[in-house]
């Protein structure tokens, strides 16, 4: 197992709440008829009920780490409580054989050139990963018959994330599993009193909405997990405001400047149509961590450091809630107009600051891009969220050894929305600017 950083901080683990999600009150409910139970089991999508015993990682806003050291600072990183617990459990899963392969075979090469693309040869991921689902639309509906993340084995689950701050909008309530089955399961979905989204004020038993961290059994790098927000709602791979807020809170729980998060929309190389983000640690600085941006309007900037242009936002000068709302408004516009997109979240200097500035923040980039329909491409790498951020997992050794910055630029440029597209990038940019200015004005009221 590769050790990425020195851990030189003792953390009080008593704050890590091992809260078991055991739901009581079933004996007080009216028993279901046997025919109702059979129909529920047949029609409902598979849900792993053993997850009711999943541990919770509880946190508040006091746990957020808003600034991390820049990459020029080579002093040892003092990992946060979140980092230590995630890495401990990830290591246990690796030692227990949960993953399809060990990551010791991965090798890294920094490509010569001003962008310093980080190329990594990972042949096993290309061969061993789960077969991607067939995706034909950016707003394709969730299919309960396809694989989703409630079907993973309990040993693949790291923990649920629970924000204990009372004012957090990312801690919505949800009906218990028992309440789901009170009235049967029409149309193949788990519902509560006929409501698919399971938010029902009439239910007596409630619990916090679950945002679950599971290991990626075909890891790209150390600590590779999938954050599955609002997991019990079984949402399609379409960003929600809550999911973006949970992602931002997750990266704020880490003190490691190399913790990265990414989201691929449908038709932008998402492999599973169930809402999820990628999360992993990387011990190399990426171009997205420090690249300059151009202010467009409101709190929206343009990122042109890679050949596929996109939009940048930052937590500096904003709040988690406001940044989540702004990002969601942009992504919602993309969804309504069938625009594929990728999101990348990282740490870096505040926009306009020097690359080595200690004045750092959370950066968020979102790229509208050309739709990709069909199975994964056979090129050296797929242009998805982390590739647009500057990290290139290469599939084959020949491509890894040969790859140059010019070749990478050419592959990434091919992801751009064509100029003759009915909705070209220039028009998208105009609307994103309008959204940014409108959101900035409304936040001042």
């Amino acid at each position: 197992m590769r050790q990425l950083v020195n851990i030189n901080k003792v953390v009080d683990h008593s704050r890590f709440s091992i809260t078991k999600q055991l739901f009581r009150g079933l004996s007080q409910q009216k028993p279901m008829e046997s025919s109702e139970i059979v129909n529920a089991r047949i029609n409902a999508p598979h849900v792993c009920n053993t997850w009711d015993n999943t541990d919770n990682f509880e946190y508040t806003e006091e746990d957020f780490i808003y600034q991390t050291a820049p990459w020029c600072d080579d002093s040892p990183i003092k990992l946060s409580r979140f980092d230590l617990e995630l890495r401990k459990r990830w290591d246990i899963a690796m030692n227990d054989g949960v993953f399809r392969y060990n990551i010791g075979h991965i090798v890294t090469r920094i490509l010569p050139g001003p962008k310093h693309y980080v190329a990594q040869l990972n042949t096993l991921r290309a061969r061993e990963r789960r077969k991607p689902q067939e995706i034909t639309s950016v707003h394709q509906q969730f299919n309960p018959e396809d694989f989703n993340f409630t079907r993973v084995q309990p040993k693949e689950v790291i923990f649920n994330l629970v924000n204990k701050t009372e004012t957090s909008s990312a801690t919505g309530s949800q009906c218990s599993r028992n309440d789901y089955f009170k009235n049967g399961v029409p149309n193949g979905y788990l519902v509560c009193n006929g409501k698919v989204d399971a938010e029902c004020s009439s239910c007596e038993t409630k619990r916090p909405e679950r945002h679950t961290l599971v290991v990626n059994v075909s890891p790209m790098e150390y600590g590779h997990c999938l954050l599955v927000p609002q997991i019990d709602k079984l949402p399609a791979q379409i960003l929600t405001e809550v999911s973006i807020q949970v992602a931002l809170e997750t990266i704020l729980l880490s003190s490691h400047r190399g913790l990265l998060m990414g989201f691929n929309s449908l038709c932008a190389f998402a492999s599973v149509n169930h809402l999820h983000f990628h999360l992993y640690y990387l011990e190399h600085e990426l171009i997205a961590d420090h690249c300059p941006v151009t202010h467009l309007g409101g709190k929206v900037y343009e990122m042109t450091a890679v050949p596929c242009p996109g939009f940048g936002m930052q937590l500096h000068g904003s709040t988690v809630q406001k940044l989540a709302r702004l990002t969601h408004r942009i992504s919602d516009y993309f969804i309504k107009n069938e625009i594929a997109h990728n999101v990348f979240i990282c740490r870096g200097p505040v926009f306009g600051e020097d690359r080595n500035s200690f004045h750092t923040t959370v950066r968020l980039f979102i790229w509208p891009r050309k739709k990709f329909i069909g199975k994964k491409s056979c090129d050296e790498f797929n242009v998805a969220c982390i590739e647009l951020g500057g990290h290139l997992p290469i599939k084959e050794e020949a491509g890894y050894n040969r790859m140059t910055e010019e070749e990478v630029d050419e592959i990434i440029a091919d992801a751009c929305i064509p100029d003759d597209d009915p909705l070209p990038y220039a028009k998208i940019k105009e609307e994103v600017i309008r959204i940014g200015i409108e959101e900035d004005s409304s936040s001042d009221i």
Side-chain angles (χ1 to χ4, degrees):
M1 181 64 62
R2 296 181 297 172
Q3 296 297 320
L4 297 186
V5 297
N6 295 323
I7 301 174
N8 61 357
K9 181 179 181 181
V10 177
V11 175
D12 179 9
H13 287 272
S14 64
R15 295 183 64 198
F16 183 82
S17 173
I18 308 300
T19 306
K20 302 298 184 181
Q21 302 289 331
L22 298 176
F23 304 119
R24 300 175 174 85
L26 180 60
S27 60
Q28 301 173 4
Q29 298 176 8
K30 179 182 177 181
M32 295 176 64
E33 299 294 335
S34 59
S35 60
E36 293 179 315
I37 296 175
V38 170
N39 288 334
R41 288 175 177 171
I42 292 175
N43 295 327
H46 176 88
V47 175
C48 184
N49 289 326
T50 56
W51 282 26
D52 291 347
N53 293 327
T54 300
D55 296 340
N56 283 349
F57 184 90
E58 297 181 349
Y59 63 93
T60 69
E61 292 179 0
E62 294 181 357
D63 293 297
F64 293 164
I65 300 165
Y66 290 96
Q67 291 191 332
T68 56
W71 284 95
C72 64
D73 184 358
D74 58 1
S75 57
I77 296 175
K78 296 180 179 180
L79 295 178
S80 69
R81 181 172 63 96
F82 169 82
D83 291 316
L84 291 174
E85 196 62 45
L86 185 158
R87 293 157 80 101
K88 180 187 75 175
R89 291 171 179 244
W90 199 89
D91 288 345
I92 291 172
M94 179 61 76
N95 292 333
D96 288 347
V98 173
F99 296 87
R100 295 181 178 179
Y101 53 82
N102 193 291
I103 61 172
H105 71 288
I106 299 175
V107 292
T108 302
R109 183 166 75 95
I110 310 300
L111 302 190
K115 297 184 179 71
H116 293 99
Y117 287 123
V118 178
Q120 289 189 317
L121 178 62
N122 188 346
T123 57
L124 291 181
R125 176 171 168 81
R127 294 200 302 264
E128 301 293 335
R129 64 179 304 181
R130 183 181 294 111
K131 181 181 177 181
Q133 295 172 1
E134 293 291 337
I135 305 296
T136 59
S137 170
V138 174
H139 57 269
Q140 187 166 313
Q141 291 186 351
F142 176 88
N143 184 351
E145 300 303 319
D146 290 338
F147 170 82
N148 66 73
F149 296 111
T150 65
R151 298 189 182 189
V152 305
Q153 297 299 314
K155 60 186 178 182
E156 297 176 36
V157 181
I158 298 293
F159 45 62
N160 297 319
L161 288 163
V162 179
N163 187 338
K164 299 298 289 184
T165 305
E166 292 183 356
T167 58
S168 172
S169 62
T171 56
S173 61
Q174 178 167 319
C175 308
S176 74
R177 186 74 62 196
N178 299 333
D179 292 315
Y180 274 128
F181 286 93
K182 277 184 178 179
N183 300 320
V185 189
N187 301 322
Y189 285 92
L190 297 175
V191 298
C192 177
N193 294 331
K195 296 184 179 181
V196 174
D197 69 1
E199 290 186 352
C200 177
S201 59
S202 65
C203 293
E204 298 176 358
T205 306
K206 294 187 178 182
R207 61 171 175 172
E209 193 169 56
R210 294 198 296 182
H211 312 298
T212 305
L213 207 61
V214 302
V215 301
N216 189 320
V217 294
S218 301
M220 288 184 297
E221 249 293 359
Y222 182 76
H224 191 180
C225 292
L226 299 172
L227 171 63
V228 189
Q230 303 171 284
I231 189 168
D232 296 300
K233 291 186 178 181
L234 299 175
Q237 182 69 346
I238 296 174
L239 288 171
T240 64
E241 189 172 328
V242 168
S243 70
I244 300 167
Q245 180 171 333
V246 173
L248 291 170
E249 291 180 356
T250 301
I251 202 166
L252 284 172
L253 290 172
S254 173
S255 60
H256 196 296
R257 62 195 170 204
L259 182 69
L260 306 172
M261 297 190 70
F263 169 88
N264 299 318
S265 82
L266 302 178
C267 299
F269 290 103
S271 297
V272 177
N273 188 13
H274 185 190
L275 181 56
H276 65 283
F277 290 79
H278 290 271
L279 173 154
Y280 64 98
Y281 294 92
L282 186 67
E283 285 298 302
H284 301 278
E285 185 181 24
L286 298 177
I287 188 168
D289 296 341
H290 63 82
C291 66
V293 294
T294 303
H295 185 237
L296 294 178
K299 291 182 171 59
V300 177
Y301 297 74
E302 186 173 33
M303 191 271 215
T304 57
V306 295
C308 184
F311 307 104
M313 285 83 76
Q314 61 180 346
L315 188 56
H316 174 74
S318 185
T319 66
V320 170
Q321 293 80 8
K322 290 179 181 179
L323 180 54
R325 184 171 63 246
L326 173 58
T327 304
H328 180 251
R329 282 204 59 187
I330 294 172
S331 66
D332 188 54
Y333 162 70
F334 290 168
I335 291 294
K336 290 177 179 177
N337 289 276
E338 193 65 20
I339 302 170
H341 50 283
N342 303 102
V343 176
F344 189 71
I345 308 174
C346 60
R347 299 276 194 161
V350 168
F351 291 163
E353 294 273 346
D354 180 77
R355 176 177 180 174
N356 295 325
S357 172
F358 279 75
H359 192 198
T360 60
T361 188
V362 172
R363 294 174 154 214
L364 185 152
F365 298 98
I366 182 167
W367 289 270
R369 46 85 53 77
K370 181 169 64 177
K371 290 172 63 176
F372 183 89
I373 297 177
K375 296 181 179 180
K376 300 292 186 182
S377 70
C378 297
D379 296 326
E380 287 80 357
F381 61 88
N382 301 316
V383 181
C385 58
I386 67 169
E387 290 81 3
L388 289 167
H391 180 204
L392 314 172
I394 308 295
K395 303 174 184 179
E396 301 293 341
E397 186 173 359
Y400 172 79
N401 293 328
R402 185 198 70 247
M403 189 67 62
T404 65
E405 184 175 289
E406 291 73 22
E407 288 181 88
V408 173
D409 283 346
E410 185 177 343
I411 294 172
I412 291 178
D414 189 55
C416 292
I417 297 175
D419 292 336
D420 60 354
D421 191 273
L423 193 57
Y425 176 78
K427 289 291 186 182
I428 295 172
K429 180 177 173 179
E430 290 178 4
E431 180 61 19
V432 170
I433 292 173
R434 187 195 67 78
I435 291 173
I437 294 174
E438 184 176 284
E439 275 296 308
D440 196 43
S441 299
S442 64
S443 65
D444 293 336
I445 298 176

